[in-house]
PDB file of all heavy atoms in Angstrom:
ATOM      1  N   ILE H   4      18.832  -2.292 -13.385  1.00 95.00           N
ATOM      2  CA  ILE H   4      17.892  -1.222 -13.667  1.00 95.00           C
ATOM      3  C   ILE H   4      18.237   0.001 -12.780  1.00 95.00           C
ATOM      4  O   ILE H   4      18.395  -0.117 -11.595  1.00 95.00           O
ATOM      5  CB  ILE H   4      16.431  -1.649 -13.376  1.00 95.00           C
ATOM      6  CG1 ILE H   4      16.061  -2.885 -14.109  1.00 95.00           C
ATOM      7  CG2 ILE H   4      15.461  -0.519 -13.669  1.00 95.00           C
ATOM      8  CD1 ILE H   4      14.764  -3.475 -13.707  1.00 95.00           C
ATOM      9  N   MET H  31      10.291  -6.563 -22.703  1.00 87.00           N
ATOM     10  CA  MET H  31       9.109  -6.329 -21.850  1.00 87.00           C
ATOM     11  C   MET H  31       9.554  -5.439 -20.694  1.00 87.00           C
ATOM     12  O   MET H  31      10.376  -5.814 -19.892  1.00 87.00           O
ATOM     13  CB  MET H  31       8.526  -7.610 -21.400  1.00 87.00           C
ATOM     14  CG  MET H  31       8.085  -8.497 -22.602  1.00 87.00           C
ATOM     15  SD  MET H  31       7.557 -10.136 -22.033  1.00 87.00           S
ATOM     16  CE  MET H  31       6.020  -9.850 -21.293  1.00 87.00           C
ATOM     17  N   PHE H  33       7.779  -2.870 -17.543  1.00 96.00           N
ATOM     18  CA  PHE H  33       6.549  -2.581 -16.919  1.00 96.00           C
ATOM     19  C   PHE H  33       6.704  -1.540 -15.860  1.00 96.00           C
ATOM     20  O   PHE H  33       7.775  -1.248 -15.341  1.00 96.00           O
ATOM     21  CB  PHE H  33       6.128  -3.831 -16.173  1.00 96.00           C
ATOM     22  CG  PHE H  33       5.956  -5.120 -17.065  1.00 96.00           C
ATOM     23  CD1 PHE H  33       7.088  -5.909 -17.255  1.00 96.00           C
ATOM     24  CD2 PHE H  33       4.827  -5.394 -17.784  1.00 96.00           C
ATOM     25  CE1 PHE H  33       6.994  -6.960 -18.061  1.00 96.00           C
ATOM     26  CE2 PHE H  33       4.757  -6.441 -18.580  1.00 96.00           C
ATOM     27  CZ  PHE H  33       5.906  -7.296 -18.725  1.00 96.00           C
ATOM     28  N   TYR H  35       4.981  -0.482 -12.073  1.00 97.00           N
ATOM     29  CA  TYR H  35       4.186  -0.932 -10.919  1.00 97.00           C
ATOM     30  C   TYR H  35       4.100   0.197  -9.941  1.00 97.00           C
ATOM     31  O   TYR H  35       4.957   1.062  -9.903  1.00 97.00           O
ATOM     32  CB  TYR H  35       4.768  -2.146 -10.205  1.00 97.00           C
ATOM     33  CG  TYR H  35       4.601  -3.467 -10.898  1.00 97.00           C
ATOM     34  CD1 TYR H  35       5.454  -3.859 -11.917  1.00 97.00           C
ATOM     35  CD2 TYR H  35       3.565  -4.337 -10.575  1.00 97.00           C
ATOM     36  CE1 TYR H  35       5.259  -5.041 -12.619  1.00 97.00           C
ATOM     37  CE2 TYR H  35       3.364  -5.586 -11.213  1.00 97.00           C
ATOM     38  CZ  TYR H  35       4.258  -5.909 -12.114  1.00 97.00           C
ATOM     39  OH  TYR H  35       4.097  -7.157 -12.817  1.00 97.00           O
ATOM     40  N   GLN H  37       3.155   0.911  -5.716  1.00 93.00           N
ATOM     41  CA  GLN H  37       2.941   0.309  -4.358  1.00 93.00           C
ATOM     42  C   GLN H  37       2.423   1.443  -3.482  1.00 93.00           C
ATOM     43  O   GLN H  37       3.333   2.248  -2.964  1.00 93.00           O
ATOM     44  CB  GLN H  37       4.166  -0.335  -3.834  1.00 93.00           C
ATOM     45  CG  GLN H  37       3.989  -1.102  -2.505  1.00 93.00           C
ATOM     46  CD  GLN H  37       5.194  -1.881  -2.108  1.00 93.00           C
ATOM     47  OE1 GLN H  37       6.327  -1.530  -2.544  1.00 93.00           O
ATOM     48  NE2 GLN H  37       4.897  -2.882  -1.381  1.00 93.00           N
ATOM     49  N   SER H  42      -0.082  -3.752  -1.556  1.00 90.00           N
ATOM     50  CA  SER H  42       0.766  -4.581  -2.333  1.00 90.00           C
ATOM     51  C   SER H  42       1.162  -3.850  -3.683  1.00 90.00           C
ATOM     52  O   SER H  42       0.709  -2.731  -3.908  1.00 90.00           O
ATOM     53  CB  SER H  42       0.114  -5.923  -2.720  1.00 90.00           C
ATOM     54  OG  SER H  42       0.957  -6.825  -3.411  1.00 90.00           O
ATOM     55  N   GLU H  58      -3.523  -1.112 -17.449  1.00 93.00           N
ATOM     56  CA  GLU H  58      -4.353  -1.996 -16.696  1.00 93.00           C
ATOM     57  C   GLU H  58      -5.577  -1.281 -16.283  1.00 93.00           C
ATOM     58  O   GLU H  58      -5.619  -0.029 -16.300  1.00 93.00           O
ATOM     59  CB  GLU H  58      -3.561  -2.572 -15.445  1.00 93.00           C
ATOM     60  CG  GLU H  58      -2.403  -3.375 -15.880  1.00 93.00           C
ATOM     61  CD  GLU H  58      -2.646  -4.602 -16.707  1.00 93.00           C
ATOM     62  OE1 GLU H  58      -3.520  -5.373 -16.340  1.00 93.00           O
ATOM     63  OE2 GLU H  58      -1.987  -4.758 -17.799  1.00 93.00           O
ATOM     64  N   TRP H  96      11.425  -7.862 -17.761  1.00 89.00           N
ATOM     65  CA  TRP H  96      11.409  -9.326 -17.853  1.00 89.00           C
ATOM     66  C   TRP H  96      12.615  -9.641 -18.673  1.00 89.00           C
ATOM     67  O   TRP H  96      12.763  -9.351 -19.818  1.00 89.00           O
ATOM     68  CB  TRP H  96      10.117  -9.800 -18.574  1.00 89.00           C
ATOM     69  CG  TRP H  96      10.023 -11.304 -18.639  1.00 89.00           C
ATOM     70  CD1 TRP H  96      10.257 -12.105 -19.666  1.00 89.00           C
ATOM     71  CD2 TRP H  96       9.641 -12.160 -17.559  1.00 89.00           C
ATOM     72  NE1 TRP H  96      10.067 -13.432 -19.363  1.00 89.00           N
ATOM     73  CE2 TRP H  96       9.726 -13.505 -18.097  1.00 89.00           C
ATOM     74  CE3 TRP H  96       9.246 -11.992 -16.186  1.00 89.00           C
ATOM     75  CZ2 TRP H  96       9.360 -14.661 -17.323  1.00 89.00           C
ATOM     76  CZ3 TRP H  96       8.976 -13.166 -15.456  1.00 89.00           C
ATOM     77  CH2 TRP H  96       9.006 -14.364 -15.978  1.00 89.00           C
ATOM     78  N   GLU H  99      13.839 -15.008 -18.213  1.00 80.00           N
ATOM     79  CA  GLU H  99      12.723 -15.654 -17.503  1.00 80.00           C
ATOM     80  C   GLU H  99      12.560 -15.205 -16.111  1.00 80.00           C
ATOM     81  O   GLU H  99      12.014 -15.978 -15.221  1.00 80.00           O
ATOM     82  CB  GLU H  99      12.879 -17.215 -17.596  1.00 80.00           C
ATOM     83  CG  GLU H  99      12.939 -17.720 -19.013  1.00 80.00           C
ATOM     84  CD  GLU H  99      13.001 -19.234 -19.053  1.00 80.00           C
ATOM     85  OE1 GLU H  99      13.261 -19.882 -17.959  1.00 80.00           O
ATOM     86  OE2 GLU H  99      12.742 -19.837 -20.130  1.00 80.00           O
ATOM     87  N   LYS H 100      12.965 -13.963 -15.759  1.00 82.00           N
ATOM     88  CA  LYS H 100      12.731 -13.436 -14.421  1.00 82.00           C
ATOM     89  C   LYS H 100      12.321 -11.993 -14.557  1.00 82.00           C
ATOM     90  O   LYS H 100      12.599 -11.326 -15.533  1.00 82.00           O
ATOM     91  CB  LYS H 100      14.061 -13.476 -13.663  1.00 82.00           C
ATOM     92  CG  LYS H 100      14.534 -14.886 -13.381  1.00 82.00           C
ATOM     93  CD  LYS H 100      15.879 -14.826 -12.681  1.00 82.00           C
ATOM     94  CE  LYS H 100      16.423 -16.210 -12.437  1.00 82.00           C
ATOM     95  NZ  LYS H 100      17.776 -16.238 -11.767  1.00 82.00           N
ATOM     96  N   LEU H 101      11.626 -11.548 -13.506  1.00 88.00           N
ATOM     97  CA  LEU H 101      11.204 -10.100 -13.503  1.00 88.00           C
ATOM     98  C   LEU H 101      12.177  -9.373 -12.547  1.00 88.00           C
ATOM     99  O   LEU H 101      12.280  -9.783 -11.347  1.00 88.00           O
ATOM    100  CB  LEU H 101       9.735 -10.004 -13.025  1.00 88.00           C
ATOM    101  CG  LEU H 101       9.098  -8.598 -13.125  1.00 88.00           C
ATOM    102  CD1 LEU H 101       8.934  -8.253 -14.581  1.00 88.00           C
ATOM    103  CD2 LEU H 101       7.706  -8.621 -12.452  1.00 88.00           C
ATOM    104  N   PHE H 103      13.404  -5.743 -10.768  1.00 94.00           N
ATOM    105  CA  PHE H 103      12.859  -4.428 -10.346  1.00 94.00           C
ATOM    106  C   PHE H 103      13.882  -3.379 -10.159  1.00 94.00           C
ATOM    107  O   PHE H 103      15.044  -3.720  -9.698  1.00 94.00           O
ATOM    108  CB  PHE H 103      12.104  -4.606  -9.049  1.00 94.00           C
ATOM    109  CG  PHE H 103      10.715  -5.353  -9.220  1.00 94.00           C
ATOM    110  CD1 PHE H 103      10.581  -6.716  -9.134  1.00 94.00           C
ATOM    111  CD2 PHE H 103       9.588  -4.565  -9.443  1.00 94.00           C
ATOM    112  CE1 PHE H 103       9.407  -7.299  -9.297  1.00 94.00           C
ATOM    113  CE2 PHE H 103       8.314  -5.211  -9.615  1.00 94.00           C
ATOM    114  CZ  PHE H 103       8.273  -6.599  -9.532  1.00 94.00           C
ATOM    115  N   SER H 105      14.973   0.213  -8.069  1.00 94.00           N
ATOM    116  CA  SER H 105      14.903   0.442  -6.674  1.00 94.00           C
ATOM    117  C   SER H 105      13.759   1.239  -6.275  1.00 94.00           C
ATOM    118  O   SER H 105      13.425   1.406  -5.025  1.00 94.00           O
ATOM    119  CB  SER H 105      16.220   1.103  -6.214  1.00 94.00           C
ATOM    120  OG  SER H 105      16.407   2.299  -7.052  1.00 94.00           O
TER     121      SER H 105
ATOM    122  N   TYR P  36       8.771 -13.454  -4.266  1.00 95.00           N
ATOM    123  CA  TYR P  36       9.658 -12.398  -4.234  1.00 95.00           C
ATOM    124  C   TYR P  36      10.009 -12.021  -2.803  1.00 95.00           C
ATOM    125  O   TYR P  36       9.204 -12.120  -1.939  1.00 95.00           O
ATOM    126  CB  TYR P  36       9.140 -11.240  -5.032  1.00 95.00           C
ATOM    127  CG  TYR P  36       9.261 -11.301  -6.550  1.00 95.00           C
ATOM    128  CD1 TYR P  36       8.324 -12.082  -7.248  1.00 95.00           C
ATOM    129  CD2 TYR P  36      10.302 -10.800  -7.200  1.00 95.00           C
ATOM    130  CE1 TYR P  36       8.487 -12.222  -8.622  1.00 95.00           C
ATOM    131  CE2 TYR P  36      10.483 -10.813  -8.547  1.00 95.00           C
ATOM    132  CZ  TYR P  36       9.518 -11.600  -9.248  1.00 95.00           C
ATOM    133  OH  TYR P  36       9.706 -11.752 -10.600  1.00 95.00           O
ATOM    134  N   ARG P  43      16.207  -3.734  -3.100  1.00 91.00           N
ATOM    135  CA  ARG P  43      15.171  -3.806  -4.021  1.00 91.00           C
ATOM    136  C   ARG P  43      14.492  -5.186  -3.944  1.00 91.00           C
ATOM    137  O   ARG P  43      15.070  -6.134  -3.477  1.00 91.00           O
ATOM    138  CB  ARG P  43      15.564  -3.445  -5.413  1.00 91.00           C
ATOM    139  CG  ARG P  43      16.577  -4.407  -6.033  1.00 91.00           C
ATOM    140  CD  ARG P  43      17.101  -3.849  -7.404  1.00 91.00           C
ATOM    141  NE  ARG P  43      17.775  -2.598  -7.253  1.00 91.00           N
ATOM    142  CZ  ARG P  43      18.201  -1.826  -8.256  1.00 91.00           C
ATOM    143  NH1 ARG P  43      17.829  -2.124  -9.450  1.00 91.00           N
ATOM    144  NH2 ARG P  43      18.802  -0.757  -7.970  1.00 91.00           N
ATOM    145  N   LEU P  46      13.610 -11.680  -7.081  1.00 91.00           N
ATOM    146  CA  LEU P  46      13.021 -13.013  -7.137  1.00 91.00           C
ATOM    147  C   LEU P  46      13.665 -14.006  -6.199  1.00 91.00           C
ATOM    148  O   LEU P  46      14.911 -14.098  -6.157  1.00 91.00           O
ATOM    149  CB  LEU P  46      13.110 -13.495  -8.599  1.00 91.00           C
ATOM    150  CG  LEU P  46      12.581 -14.921  -8.894  1.00 91.00           C
ATOM    151  CD1 LEU P  46      11.120 -14.939  -8.718  1.00 91.00           C
ATOM    152  CD2 LEU P  46      12.922 -15.386 -10.224  1.00 91.00           C
ATOM    153  N   ARG P  49      10.692 -19.533  -8.329  1.00 87.00           N
ATOM    154  CA  ARG P  49       9.429 -19.754  -9.165  1.00 87.00           C
ATOM    155  C   ARG P  49       9.157 -21.210  -9.171  1.00 87.00           C
ATOM    156  O   ARG P  49      10.120 -22.016  -9.214  1.00 87.00           O
ATOM    157  CB  ARG P  49       9.637 -19.147 -10.469  1.00 87.00           C
ATOM    158  CG  ARG P  49      10.838 -19.672 -11.299  1.00 87.00           C
ATOM    159  CD  ARG P  49      11.045 -18.950 -12.595  1.00 87.00           C
ATOM    160  NE  ARG P  49       9.896 -19.181 -13.546  1.00 87.00           N
ATOM    161  CZ  ARG P  49       9.948 -18.739 -14.777  1.00 87.00           C
ATOM    162  NH1 ARG P  49      11.086 -18.184 -15.252  1.00 87.00           N
ATOM    163  NH2 ARG P  49       8.948 -18.906 -15.613  1.00 87.00           N
ATOM    164  N   TYR P  86       6.683 -11.546  -0.827  1.00 96.00           N
ATOM    165  CA  TYR P  86       5.504 -11.542  -1.655  1.00 96.00           C
ATOM    166  C   TYR P  86       5.263 -12.770  -2.480  1.00 96.00           C
ATOM    167  O   TYR P  86       6.295 -13.143  -3.178  1.00 96.00           O
ATOM    168  CB  TYR P  86       5.649 -10.304  -2.642  1.00 96.00           C
ATOM    169  CG  TYR P  86       5.539  -8.980  -1.941  1.00 96.00           C
ATOM    170  CD1 TYR P  86       6.779  -8.271  -1.695  1.00 96.00           C
ATOM    171  CD2 TYR P  86       4.319  -8.365  -1.623  1.00 96.00           C
ATOM    172  CE1 TYR P  86       6.784  -7.032  -1.114  1.00 96.00           C
ATOM    173  CE2 TYR P  86       4.347  -7.065  -1.031  1.00 96.00           C
ATOM    174  CZ  TYR P  86       5.522  -6.442  -0.832  1.00 96.00           C
ATOM    175  OH  TYR P  86       5.436  -5.161  -0.243  1.00 96.00           O
ATOM    176  N   SER P  94       2.383 -13.682 -20.651  1.00 65.00           N
ATOM    177  CA  SER P  94       3.100 -12.414 -20.232  1.00 65.00           C
ATOM    178  C   SER P  94       3.529 -12.609 -18.826  1.00 65.00           C
ATOM    179  O   SER P  94       2.835 -12.120 -17.936  1.00 65.00           O
ATOM    180  CB  SER P  94       2.233 -11.220 -20.435  1.00 65.00           C
ATOM    181  OG  SER P  94       3.019 -10.034 -20.101  1.00 65.00           O
ATOM    182  N   TYR P  95       4.693 -13.135 -18.590  1.00 67.00           N
ATOM    183  CA  TYR P  95       5.154 -13.338 -17.293  1.00 67.00           C
ATOM    184  C   TYR P  95       5.539 -12.116 -16.483  1.00 67.00           C
ATOM    185  O   TYR P  95       5.676 -12.166 -15.270  1.00 67.00           O
ATOM    186  CB  TYR P  95       6.359 -14.362 -17.294  1.00 67.00           C
ATOM    187  CG  TYR P  95       5.934 -15.765 -17.629  1.00 67.00           C
ATOM    188  CD1 TYR P  95       6.890 -16.730 -17.968  1.00 67.00           C
ATOM    189  CD2 TYR P  95       4.677 -16.209 -17.629  1.00 67.00           C
ATOM    190  CE1 TYR P  95       6.675 -17.984 -18.342  1.00 67.00           C
ATOM    191  CE2 TYR P  95       4.297 -17.467 -18.062  1.00 67.00           C
ATOM    192  CZ  TYR P  95       5.262 -18.409 -18.344  1.00 67.00           C
ATOM    193  OH  TYR P  95       4.983 -19.634 -18.708  1.00 67.00           O
ATOM    194  N   GLY P  96       5.708 -11.053 -17.162  1.00 79.00           N
ATOM    195  CA  GLY P  96       5.996  -9.818 -16.412  1.00 79.00           C
ATOM    196  C   GLY P  96       4.835  -9.196 -15.793  1.00 79.00           C
ATOM    197  O   GLY P  96       4.933  -8.324 -14.979  1.00 79.00           O
ATOM    198  N   LYS P  97       3.600  -9.617 -16.173  1.00 86.00           N
ATOM    199  CA  LYS P  97       2.420  -9.012 -15.616  1.00 86.00           C
ATOM    200  C   LYS P  97       1.970  -9.877 -14.463  1.00 86.00           C
ATOM    201  O   LYS P  97       1.222 -10.832 -14.551  1.00 86.00           O
ATOM    202  CB  LYS P  97       1.326  -8.981 -16.645  1.00 86.00           C
ATOM    203  CG  LYS P  97       1.720  -8.103 -17.890  1.00 86.00           C
ATOM    204  CD  LYS P  97       0.649  -8.153 -19.032  1.00 86.00           C
ATOM    205  CE  LYS P  97      -0.641  -7.454 -18.574  1.00 86.00           C
ATOM    206  NZ  LYS P  97      -1.576  -7.319 -19.744  1.00 86.00           N
ATOM    207  N   LEU P  98       2.486  -9.457 -13.290  1.00 90.00           N
ATOM    208  CA  LEU P  98       2.228 -10.265 -12.086  1.00 90.00           C
ATOM    209  C   LEU P  98       1.127  -9.642 -11.216  1.00 90.00           C
ATOM    210  O   LEU P  98       1.048  -8.456 -11.182  1.00 90.00           O
ATOM    211  CB  LEU P  98       3.470 -10.378 -11.258  1.00 90.00           C
ATOM    212  CG  LEU P  98       4.682 -11.026 -11.937  1.00 90.00           C
ATOM    213  CD1 LEU P  98       5.798 -11.248 -10.857  1.00 90.00           C
ATOM    214  CD2 LEU P  98       4.408 -12.296 -12.613  1.00 90.00           C
ATOM    215  N   PHE P 100       0.311  -9.534  -7.285  1.00 94.00           N
ATOM    216  CA  PHE P 100       1.010  -9.801  -6.065  1.00 94.00           C
ATOM    217  C   PHE P 100       0.047  -9.914  -4.890  1.00 94.00           C
ATOM    218  O   PHE P 100      -1.014  -9.358  -4.872  1.00 94.00           O
ATOM    219  CB  PHE P 100       1.971  -8.641  -5.783  1.00 94.00           C
ATOM    220  CG  PHE P 100       3.266  -8.642  -6.567  1.00 94.00           C
ATOM    221  CD1 PHE P 100       3.195  -8.116  -7.801  1.00 94.00           C
ATOM    222  CD2 PHE P 100       4.392  -9.178  -6.119  1.00 94.00           C
ATOM    223  CE1 PHE P 100       4.389  -8.078  -8.560  1.00 94.00           C
ATOM    224  CE2 PHE P 100       5.506  -9.174  -6.818  1.00 94.00           C
ATOM    225  CZ  PHE P 100       5.530  -8.650  -8.077  1.00 94.00           C
ATOM    226  N   GLY P 101       0.466 -10.733  -3.942  1.00 95.00           N
ATOM    227  CA  GLY P 101      -0.305 -10.786  -2.678  1.00 95.00           C
ATOM    228  C   GLY P 101       0.142  -9.517  -1.777  1.00 95.00           C
ATOM    229  O   GLY P 101       0.939  -8.705  -2.213  1.00 95.00           O
TER     230      GLY P 101
END
Side-chain angles (χ1 to χ4, degrees):
Chain H
I4 304 171
M31 301 171 75
F33 307 90
Y35 282 82
Q37 186 172 26
S42 186
E58 299 299 307
W96 183 259
E99 299 186 346
K100 298 177 182 178
L101 192 64
F103 285 89
S105 54
Chain P
Y36 279 82
R43 64 186 64 191
L46 178 67
R49 56 188 295 191
Y86 292 97
S94 183
Y95 289 166
K97 298 176 68 172
L98 303 187
F100 284 84

